[in-house]
Each structure stands twice: as C-alpha cells, then as structure tokens.
Amino acid sequence: MDMQPKDMALAEFIKLPTTVSFQVQDSDRFRNFVEENPYIRIGAVLSGGYAIAYVQEDKLRSALRELGETFMSTHPTAYTLLDKKTFEEPFVTRVQQMPGFDLRGQGVILGFVDTGIDYTSPSFRYEDGSSKILSIWDQTEDGPFPYDMQFGAVYTQEEINSALQSDSPLDIVPHEDSIGHGTFIASAAGGRENNGHIGAAPDASIIAVKLKPASPYYFNLFPELPESSNIFTSDNIMMGIDYILDRADAFDRPVAICIALGSNFGGHDGLSMMEEYLTYICNRRGVAVCTAAGNESNARHHTDGAFTEAGQIQSVGISVGQNVRAFSVYIWNDLWDKISVEVKSPTGQVVKRIPFENNISLSKTLVLEKSVVSIGYFQLKSRLSLVEVEDPTPGIWQIILQAEMVVSGEYHAWLPITGMVSPYVEFIEPKPNYTIVNPATAIGTITCGAYNSRDDSLYIASSWGPTRLPRMSPDFVAPGVNIGGIYPKGYGSLTGTGIAAAITTGAAAIMLQWGIVMNHESDMNCNRVLSLLIRGCTRYSGREYPNVQWGYGELNLAESFNKLK
C-alpha cells in the first residue's frame, strides 16, 4: 500500500519528483481543507498571510477546484534573469564616494535571491580573510534546512569562515554559483575592493539565497520555455525573501533586497500574489526592495488596443519563425469588459470563437497542420484570455478579438519575456509602453530602469512604463550598460536593468544606514528610501519628469544627501 503524503516527513515529500507546489492565501478554511485531504501539505507560512503548499502533481487541479481557487492565480509564476554578459570595456561605478559622509553600508544587510554567490571571492571577504556573508540558503542542496522551509541547505557565517580556512572549502560548504549572475549582482551591490572593483555598499553584510530551478513539471506545462533557460518560480523566490527577512530580524539589522528577475506573466498591475507579497513587506520598517524594470522595450513582446463598443473586432498579429516549439499570448483586460478570442493560422485555418466564460479552456489540433491551439479564459483580478500554440506553423498567426461587453475597452497582450520564448516570435505591431515586468509592477518597491552612464543615453532595452494599474514607472534609472563586476572566474561586465537594480540596492542600503543605523530616521521603510532617492535624481532641462522611460531621472545618491543638509 502506497504511503500517504501525511505519513511522510515533509522534507521527504517535497523531494519527490511527483510533488509540485502552489501559493495561496493562508486561512482557516485552507487549513481545514489540508486536514481533510491527505495528499496536500503546507510547506511554509510567509509574511503577510501567504502559504506555500505541496501536493501530488496529478491532484493539483482537483485540489484547487475543490478549494475554489483559480489555477492561474495560485500556480507559481516563472521568472528569468534580467541581464546579459557584455564584452566591452566595463564601467566602474562608485556611488559610495560622497565627500563628508562615511557611508559604506555598515550595519545593513544586502539580500539576494538569485543564482547563488561565490563565497570564496575576495569581493566578499574582509582584510583578515573572513567572510562578510552572514548566511547562505542553497535551495538546490541537501543539508540542514531552514526550520520553516523544509528543503535546501543553510550555511552560517561560522561554517563559511571555516571553509575559507580550509584547503578544500567546497568540502565544508558545498555551495557554488555555476551561472555567475548572483555573484556578479552581489559584487555590484556590496563587493569589497577587488582588483580595482568595489561595490556600491562595500561594508554591508550579505545574505544570499540560491534559487532552486524550475522542475521538469514547468517545462511540460509551458512547452515554449527553452530547455537551456534559467527559470525560477515565484514560490521559491517568496520563500527566499522570507528567509532573508527572518535572518535580518534575527541579526536586528535593516535589509535592502535585490530582485534582478522578471516575468511577463501576470496583469502588470501589481495584483499578482507575488507582487502583493512584496507590497506587504515594503511597508515594514527597515526593509527596502529594489526590482529591475526589465529589458523588454525593444523585444516586440507587448501590444495593446481599445474597443469603443460591443461587437467590434480587432486582430493581433504574431510573426512566428522556423523551429519554434510553442508560444503563448496573454491578453488582459478589466473585469468590467468582456473579450472573446478566435485564432487563425498562417494557412487560414480557424479555431472559432467561443464566448468568454470563466475558467474554461479548449484545445484543437488543426486539420492541415501539426499545430495544437489552446484557448483559455480566466477571471482573476482582471480578465485573462490565454492562447497557447504548440508546434506552430511558421508565418503570421492572427489572434482575433471580439468585444462582448465594453466599459473602458482597453486590452493589453504580452508574449513571454526574453529568455522564456523563442527569439523568432514577436508581435507584428509591438508597443514599447507597458513593458515593465513582474514583479517590478508591484506597488511600493523601488523600480529601476537602466541608462548608459558614459553618454547619458537610455539603455535601448530598458522597459517603459506605465503599469496597467496605471502607475508611473520606472521610478528612476541607474547605470546599467557595461557595468564592471566580479564573476566566479574573475572580472567582467554585465548589461541590463538587473545590474542597475543591484547598484540601486547598494544605494538603498546606504540610505538605511543613514536612517536606521545612524538613527536619523529610525522608522525608515522602502517608501521613504524611494522618496529620498527620487529627490536627488539628476534631471535635465527640456525633458519632462516623471516620464515612462526615465522616471524621475538618473540615480544620484550624493545629491540625495546634499538635499538632506
């Protein structure tokens, strides 16, 4: 007789290849449901009343159906990295050099949820060789896990220092950053001087979380995901952030958290579960969360339109190249409008329109092509029409929209973010506005775009606002083109809004040092940090601020402090 999940140790159940996770609002009703159903377990309870639960893969949809939860709202969102390596001469930023201020991040923690950190690098060691890293939670290893998370391995500063004194440090702390992104981001935000490079807040301590990659389940669920892509999921990101907050509380220090990840899934309105979680923690004293705006303005992954009356028809064209495994289109509109969809292939075959009805879907294999077309309708905090095409015929695909009910009439369509869809899939008539990615569309985080600090030009791919809420975004831009930093194998450079967010995180740490550690503003939170950073931004005459490309201007930390005098 098979052992039931409730009879297994939770850590053992989580490790099973048939176990999947979902995120949900914690409640008495949910806990009663878990008690009554032996195939589901609560894995972690997070700040703000959110829970991560685990269930057998074949029972996920039925469990959510019984709970009355929509699959799309509880299923973890897939995220990817928001930078790319560059090979031009790196540019070194030194935001901590401010005459008259001894501010280098002392007493503040920098938190990273990313690909890990090369703890052996001189960038993360003091002059005596000891580590500035307070803790590492490696979600990919087996070991002593956080008591409230039940997976991964935690390494303390004492263990890291012991490893650094060894001839074989990986035998003691077997943690590596094989991708290098997390190491680079951490070096830009808080690296100590290393071969001429220094981070924005070099005296800040570090807590690093190495995210567990998405399981094969996600790649089966979303066939458009490239097999070699770096994909992570919102539940593990949320748990990583909660771990950082818990450790920061234990050390009684303020913390600035960097999220250099993004996704195009979600309504881009700040109302997904991940975004609402970030909004909640941004209200906490001593916490600042910096999010990367995304690199999507020129990716041709967004378009939009508007209906003025019921019965109108509009078409969204998508160009699909050769050897594309699959693609998805997310079409979002307000709850008070109703839009229905039909799909026309490049050969003229049509999957006929079905009226909008919440939480229904259909799939059809085209007669003259190998393509399988799926259409799903979901009512979340906005309405979502999801179109998925597997094995698409190359050519122009048409998503034909019909307005059934019109109040505002506005709709937006997104393809998956760069790195999560083939580069040969794009909208015929793309629009660069509304390309700020999730979770940077969250309310309350510090959202940072990127510019080239050598010539004061906007980084060509830096995502444009506003958000669908609507809300002005980004908040400002920071250096993000050919930025120098440290990889596990040495010095290099990176370009994108992720590295701009890392620099901003270092600036936020310095603000927290001034406010909380030095007791100038002991109740400082993320909103106050943002307001001070915006106050000091460099703005040029002839350009109206705020705007959807530059926000309130270019990050200028020294000027922020000058304005405080």
Side-chain angles (χ1 to χ4, degrees), residues 60-71:
L60 174 60
R61 288 184 181 269
S62 62
L64 296 179
R65 192 161 48 245
E66 289 182 58
L67 275 168
E69 300 285 344
T70 302
F71 179 77

Side-chain angles (χ1 to χ4, degrees), residues 8 337 452:
M8 302 173 66
D337 293 328
N452 188 332

Side-chain angles (χ1 to χ4, degrees), residues 10-62:
L10 178 56
E12 184 182 351
F13 179 55
I14 291 173
K15 287 180 185 178
L16 293 178
T18 55
T19 298
V20 296
S21 59
F22 65 95
Q23 55 209 26
V24 66
Q25 289 276 0
D26 194 14
S27 65
D28 290 340
R29 176 175 173 271
F30 173 64
R31 289 176 175 267
N32 290 336
F33 180 83
V34 172
E35 284 290 324
E36 295 167 1
N37 291 274
Y39 55 82
I40 187 169
R41 301 285 299 273
I42 296 175
V45 178
L46 310 182
S47 305
Y50 299 93
I52 308 298
Y54 296 89
V55 64
Q56 293 168 313
E57 181 181 327
D58 60 349
K59 291 186 168 54
L60 174 60
R61 288 184 181 269
S62 62

Side-chain angles (χ1 to χ4, degrees), residues 324-375:
V324 173
R325 293 170 51 199
F327 71 89
S328 299
V329 185
Y330 319 123
I331 304 159
W332 293 85
N333 61 276
D334 292 326
L335 284 173
W336 41 83
D337 293 328
K338 191 178 287 187
I339 295 172
S340 55
V341 171
E342 78 177 33
V343 179
K344 186 177 182 180
S345 79
T347 66
Q349 294 191 80
V350 174
V351 177
K352 292 189 178 295
R353 182 182 72 90
I354 55 172
F356 187 98
E357 185 178 336
N358 182 36
N359 207 23
I360 66 166
S361 61
L362 66 85
S363 293
K364 180 179 180 181
T365 302
L366 301 186
V367 176
L368 302 178
E369 307 170 47
K370 296 184 294 182
S371 305
V372 179
V373 178
S374 301
I375 299 172

Side-chain angles (χ1 to χ4, degrees), residues 160 266 492:
I160 294 168

Side-chain angles (χ1 to χ4, degrees), residues 100-406:
F101 294 95
D102 181 25
L103 295 168
R104 293 165 52 94
Q106 299 97 317
V108 180
I109 294 170
L110 295 167
F112 303 95
V113 282
D114 214 283
T115 64
I117 190 168
D118 177 11
Y119 69 87
T120 66
S121 170
S123 290
F124 310 120
R125 300 172 72 173
Y126 295 112
E127 286 74 9
D128 63 1
S130 63
S131 179
K132 65 179 287 178
I133 301 171
L134 299 176
S135 180
I136 298 171
W137 178 27
D138 189 332
Q139 296 182 350
T140 69
E141 291 287 337
D142 290 330
F145 44 70
Y147 74 94
D148 52 351
M149 302 295 181
Q150 299 290 306
F151 71 99
V154 167
Y155 304 108
T156 65
Q157 188 176 41
E158 182 181 8
E159 290 169 322
I160 294 168
N161 283 331
S162 176
L164 292 174
Q165 294 169 11
S166 167
D167 293 332
S168 303
L170 293 179
D171 290 342
I172 299 172
V173 175
H175 167 82
E176 294 182 276
D177 177 12
S178 58
I179 296 170
H181 186 266
T183 297
F184 194 101
I185 292 294
S187 76
R192 297 184 65 78
E193 189 162 3
N194 180 7
N195 291 327
H197 174 268
I198 190 169
D203 286 350
S205 301
I206 288 175
I207 297 174
V209 175
K210 180 177 181 177
L211 293 169
K212 181 168 61 173
S215 69
Y217 167 76
Y218 289 90
F219 289 86
N220 293 331
L221 191 65
F222 303 107
E224 70 269 22
L225 293 176
E227 292 179 351
S228 60
S229 53
N230 297 309
I231 306 298
F232 310 96
T233 55
S234 56
D235 56 336
N236 290 328
I237 297 170
M238 291 167 69
M239 285 189 283
I241 294 170
D242 227 61
Y243 176 78
I244 292 170
L245 294 174
D246 179 72
R247 293 289 80 210
D249 285 345
F251 288 109
D252 193 24
R253 299 188 197 179
V255 60
I257 299 172
C258 179
I259 304 177
L261 303 157
S263 176
N264 264 350
F265 188 78
H268 293 248
D269 53 8
L271 299 178
S272 72
M273 198 171 296
M274 166 83 162
E275 292 166 307
E276 290 184 333
Y277 167 75
L278 292 179
T279 298
Y280 173 81
I281 66 172
C282 282
N283 288 315
R284 290 179 47 164
R285 171 192 174 275
V287 175
V289 178
C290 301
T291 51
N295 310 314
E296 290 288 290
S297 67
N298 65 343
R300 306 177 70 90
H301 288 164
H302 166 261
T303 193
D304 58 43
F307 295 105
T308 57
E309 60 183 28
Q312 285 183 326
I313 293 175
Q314 295 186 15
S315 181
V316 174
I318 302 161
S319 173
V320 178
Q322 299 284 340
N323 302 315
V324 173
R325 293 170 51 199
F327 71 89
S328 299
V329 185
Y330 319 123
I331 304 159
W332 293 85
N333 61 276
D334 292 326
L335 284 173
W336 41 83
D337 293 328
K338 191 178 287 187
I339 295 172
S340 55
V341 171
E342 78 177 33
V343 179
K344 186 177 182 180
S345 79
T347 66
Q349 294 191 80
V350 174
V351 177
K352 292 189 178 295
R353 182 182 72 90
I354 55 172
F356 187 98
E357 185 178 336
N358 182 36
N359 207 23
I360 66 166
S361 61
L362 66 85
S363 293
K364 180 179 180 181
T365 302
L366 301 186
V367 176
L368 302 178
E369 307 170 47
K370 296 184 294 182
S371 305
V372 179
V373 178
S374 301
I375 299 172
Y377 295 139
F378 305 93
Q379 185 165 300
L380 310 173
K381 293 174 182 176
S382 295
R383 282 188 166 140
L384 167 65
S385 300
L386 173 61
V387 176
E388 299 175 296
V389 182
E390 295 185 48
D391 201 4
T393 303
I396 306 300
W397 286 77
Q398 297 289 338
I399 311 296
I400 301 164
L401 308 177
Q402 180 168 326
E404 297 182 11
M405 184 183 301
V406 174

